[in-house]
Amino acid sequence: METAEFIQILEREGRLLASAAEEAGTEAKVPTCPGWQVRDLLRHTGAVHRWATAFVAEGHTAFRPFGEEPALDGAELLAWYRAGHSRLVDTLGSASPDLECWHFLPAPSPLAFWARRQAHETAVHRVDAEAARGGTQTGIGRDFAADGIDELLRGFHARAKSRARSDEPRVLRVRASDTDGAVWTVRLTREPPSTQYGEEGPADCEVSGPAARLYLALWNRLPFPAVTGDVSVAGLWREKSGVG
């Protein structure tokens, strides 16, 4: 997917998140994020948007910590969230393709990284906002979902901080049933997971289903659509794969 596509998705997902949050009300519980209310979701996502904007707009070449989440609530919090989301979209859309700044996963460029990462960050939290609101959820595009699976498996969980580990070596296969060639082989050991794109050797367990449902399941927002083989491997993923 192209950077411009990610920015378009970020723009749409951020608006949908705000609308769902407004309908739910900031006191509503977020069932997909135990312990959170909608106000926590808005504060967190808004802070992430501002954090990302600063790297792109100001060209910081080293890590900088998150800023303080505001004590705002209600209509003021929604306005604060919407303003930060709008600025992020505008900043990414107007940034130079050869921008240099800090980023934390492999990518063709820093700009490509931030557009992709913020699109997925916002899409997952939009799902959280819609879960708090209740009713029909907005769909997720197949190609975008498959890209998000790849980012999670080959990006986030390739890092040393991944907790998705197993004392006994295990192999988890991840298969998007509606997307040609979208198969990943995840090797779980005491080290960070090693993931190859493709069907590499036998697997102890396979999780499969439409890309959109699998994407949300791997982010622990839904149950796995289908599990075959050793179900304890899928359980290990559910227990240990949270991203901090």
PDB file of all heavy atoms in Angstrom, residues 25 29 43 52 71 75 107 112 140 158 181 196-197 204 212 216:
ATOM      1  N   GLY A  25     -20.437   8.511  24.503  1.00  0.00           N
ATOM      2  CA  GLY A  25     -20.240   9.322  25.697  1.00  0.00           C
ATOM      3  C   GLY A  25     -18.938   8.942  26.377  1.00  0.00           C
ATOM      4  O   GLY A  25     -18.525   7.775  26.372  1.00  0.00           O
ATOM      5  N   LYS A  29     -17.957   2.424  29.056  1.00  0.00           N
ATOM      6  CA  LYS A  29     -16.873   1.459  29.161  1.00  0.00           C
ATOM      7  C   LYS A  29     -16.471   0.958  27.773  1.00  0.00           C
ATOM      8  O   LYS A  29     -17.309   0.877  26.872  1.00  0.00           O
ATOM      9  CB  LYS A  29     -17.298   0.287  30.039  1.00  0.00           C
ATOM     10  CG  LYS A  29     -17.510   0.676  31.501  1.00  0.00           C
ATOM     11  CD  LYS A  29     -17.909  -0.528  32.336  1.00  0.00           C
ATOM     12  CE  LYS A  29     -18.096  -0.123  33.803  1.00  0.00           C
ATOM     13  NZ  LYS A  29     -18.484  -1.280  34.653  1.00  0.00           N
ATOM     14  N   ARG A  43      -8.044  10.179  25.247  1.00  0.00           N
ATOM     15  CA  ARG A  43      -6.812  10.780  25.768  1.00  0.00           C
ATOM     16  C   ARG A  43      -5.586  10.056  25.234  1.00  0.00           C
ATOM     17  O   ARG A  43      -4.609  10.690  24.817  1.00  0.00           O
ATOM     18  CB  ARG A  43      -6.825  10.758  27.301  1.00  0.00           C
ATOM     19  CG  ARG A  43      -7.827  11.717  27.927  1.00  0.00           C
ATOM     20  CD  ARG A  43      -8.002  11.454  29.417  1.00  0.00           C
ATOM     21  NE  ARG A  43      -8.991  12.351  30.012  1.00  0.00           N
ATOM     22  CZ  ARG A  43      -9.482  12.206  31.239  1.00  0.00           C
ATOM     23  NH1 ARG A  43      -9.082  11.172  31.993  1.00  0.00           N
ATOM     24  NH2 ARG A  43     -10.376  13.058  31.711  1.00  0.00           N
ATOM     25  N   ALA A  52       3.238  11.497  17.401  1.00  0.00           N
ATOM     26  CA  ALA A  52       3.661  11.206  16.033  1.00  0.00           C
ATOM     27  C   ALA A  52       3.845  12.490  15.223  1.00  0.00           C
ATOM     28  O   ALA A  52       4.814  12.628  14.460  1.00  0.00           O
ATOM     29  CB  ALA A  52       2.631  10.297  15.356  1.00  0.00           C
ATOM     30  N   ALA A  71      -6.394  16.452  31.197  1.00  0.00           N
ATOM     31  CA  ALA A  71      -7.461  16.149  32.162  1.00  0.00           C
ATOM     32  C   ALA A  71      -8.827  16.538  31.611  1.00  0.00           C
ATOM     33  O   ALA A  71      -9.804  16.579  32.352  1.00  0.00           O
ATOM     34  CB  ALA A  71      -7.184  16.866  33.475  1.00  0.00           C
ATOM     35  N   ALA A  75     -17.175  17.349  25.878  1.00  0.00           N
ATOM     36  CA  ALA A  75     -17.050  18.041  24.592  1.00  0.00           C
ATOM     37  C   ALA A  75     -15.657  18.624  24.391  1.00  0.00           C
ATOM     38  O   ALA A  75     -15.130  18.640  23.268  1.00  0.00           O
ATOM     39  CB  ALA A  75     -18.104  19.138  24.493  1.00  0.00           C
ATOM     40  N   ALA A 107      10.942   0.388   7.593  1.00  0.00           N
ATOM     41  CA  ALA A 107      10.007   1.002   6.651  1.00  0.00           C
ATOM     42  C   ALA A 107      10.789   1.575   5.475  1.00  0.00           C
ATOM     43  O   ALA A 107      11.987   1.863   5.607  1.00  0.00           O
ATOM     44  CB  ALA A 107       9.209   2.113   7.333  1.00  0.00           C
ATOM     45  N   ALA A 112       6.727   6.993   5.372  1.00  0.00           N
ATOM     46  CA  ALA A 112       5.929   5.791   5.143  1.00  0.00           C
ATOM     47  C   ALA A 112       5.635   5.084   6.456  1.00  0.00           C
ATOM     48  O   ALA A 112       4.517   4.591   6.674  1.00  0.00           O
ATOM     49  CB  ALA A 112       6.673   4.849   4.188  1.00  0.00           C
ATOM     50  N   ILE A 140     -13.339  -3.221   7.759  1.00  0.00           N
ATOM     51  CA  ILE A 140     -11.921  -2.944   7.536  1.00  0.00           C
ATOM     52  C   ILE A 140     -11.541  -3.578   6.205  1.00  0.00           C
ATOM     53  O   ILE A 140     -11.847  -4.746   5.947  1.00  0.00           O
ATOM     54  CB  ILE A 140     -11.053  -3.539   8.664  1.00  0.00           C
ATOM     55  CG1 ILE A 140     -11.380  -2.842   9.992  1.00  0.00           C
ATOM     56  CG2 ILE A 140      -9.562  -3.401   8.346  1.00  0.00           C
ATOM     57  CD1 ILE A 140     -10.693  -3.473  11.187  1.00  0.00           C
ATOM     58  N   ALA A 158       8.961  -8.585  16.233  1.00  0.00           N
ATOM     59  CA  ALA A 158      10.373  -8.856  15.961  1.00  0.00           C
ATOM     60  C   ALA A 158      11.262  -8.107  16.940  1.00  0.00           C
ATOM     61  O   ALA A 158      12.470  -8.366  17.013  1.00  0.00           O
ATOM     62  CB  ALA A 158      10.716  -8.454  14.525  1.00  0.00           C
ATOM     63  N   GLY A 181      -2.062 -15.607  -0.862  1.00  0.00           N
ATOM     64  CA  GLY A 181      -0.679 -15.598  -0.404  1.00  0.00           C
ATOM     65  C   GLY A 181      -0.449 -15.002   0.966  1.00  0.00           C
ATOM     66  O   GLY A 181       0.707 -14.908   1.398  1.00  0.00           O
ATOM     67  N   GLN A 196       8.300 -15.449   9.231  1.00  0.00           N
ATOM     68  CA  GLN A 196       8.538 -15.418   7.787  1.00  0.00           C
ATOM     69  C   GLN A 196       7.196 -15.290   7.069  1.00  0.00           C
ATOM     70  O   GLN A 196       6.189 -15.871   7.512  1.00  0.00           O
ATOM     71  CB  GLN A 196       9.242 -16.686   7.306  1.00  0.00           C
ATOM     72  CG  GLN A 196      10.684 -16.810   7.740  1.00  0.00           C
ATOM     73  CD  GLN A 196      10.826 -17.266   9.174  1.00  0.00           C
ATOM     74  OE1 GLN A 196      10.105 -18.157   9.613  1.00  0.00           O
ATOM     75  NE2 GLN A 196      11.721 -16.642   9.914  1.00  0.00           N
ATOM     76  N   TYR A 197       7.205 -14.531   5.998  1.00  0.00           N
ATOM     77  CA  TYR A 197       6.019 -14.429   5.158  1.00  0.00           C
ATOM     78  C   TYR A 197       5.990 -15.662   4.271  1.00  0.00           C
ATOM     79  O   TYR A 197       6.904 -15.903   3.492  1.00  0.00           O
ATOM     80  CB  TYR A 197       6.074 -13.154   4.322  1.00  0.00           C
ATOM     81  CG  TYR A 197       4.797 -12.840   3.584  1.00  0.00           C
ATOM     82  CD1 TYR A 197       3.693 -12.350   4.259  1.00  0.00           C
ATOM     83  CD2 TYR A 197       4.703 -13.030   2.212  1.00  0.00           C
ATOM     84  CE1 TYR A 197       2.517 -12.054   3.591  1.00  0.00           C
ATOM     85  CE2 TYR A 197       3.541 -12.747   1.529  1.00  0.00           C
ATOM     86  CZ  TYR A 197       2.445 -12.255   2.223  1.00  0.00           C
ATOM     87  OH  TYR A 197       1.276 -11.970   1.562  1.00  0.00           O
ATOM     88  N   ASP A 204       2.569 -26.165  14.552  1.00  0.00           N
ATOM     89  CA  ASP A 204       1.865 -26.794  15.671  1.00  0.00           C
ATOM     90  C   ASP A 204       0.407 -26.346  15.729  1.00  0.00           C
ATOM     91  O   ASP A 204      -0.458 -27.090  16.190  1.00  0.00           O
ATOM     92  CB  ASP A 204       2.558 -26.435  16.982  1.00  0.00           C
ATOM     93  CG  ASP A 204       3.973 -26.954  17.048  1.00  0.00           C
ATOM     94  OD1 ASP A 204       4.143 -28.182  17.094  1.00  0.00           O
ATOM     95  OD2 ASP A 204       4.910 -26.124  17.025  1.00  0.00           O
ATOM     96  N   ALA A 212      -9.695  -9.242   7.877  1.00  0.00           N
ATOM     97  CA  ALA A 212     -10.151  -8.215   8.824  1.00  0.00           C
ATOM     98  C   ALA A 212     -10.390  -8.800  10.209  1.00  0.00           C
ATOM     99  O   ALA A 212     -10.024  -8.197  11.224  1.00  0.00           O
ATOM    100  CB  ALA A 212     -11.417  -7.541   8.298  1.00  0.00           C
ATOM    101  N   LEU A 216      -7.973  -8.174  13.798  1.00  0.00           N
ATOM    102  CA  LEU A 216      -8.484  -7.782  15.112  1.00  0.00           C
ATOM    103  C   LEU A 216      -8.258  -8.866  16.157  1.00  0.00           C
ATOM    104  O   LEU A 216      -8.025  -8.567  17.334  1.00  0.00           O
ATOM    105  CB  LEU A 216      -9.960  -7.417  15.015  1.00  0.00           C
ATOM    106  CG  LEU A 216     -10.267  -6.179  14.179  1.00  0.00           C
ATOM    107  CD1 LEU A 216     -11.770  -5.945  14.088  1.00  0.00           C
ATOM    108  CD2 LEU A 216      -9.564  -4.933  14.747  1.00  0.00           C
TER     109      LEU A 216
END
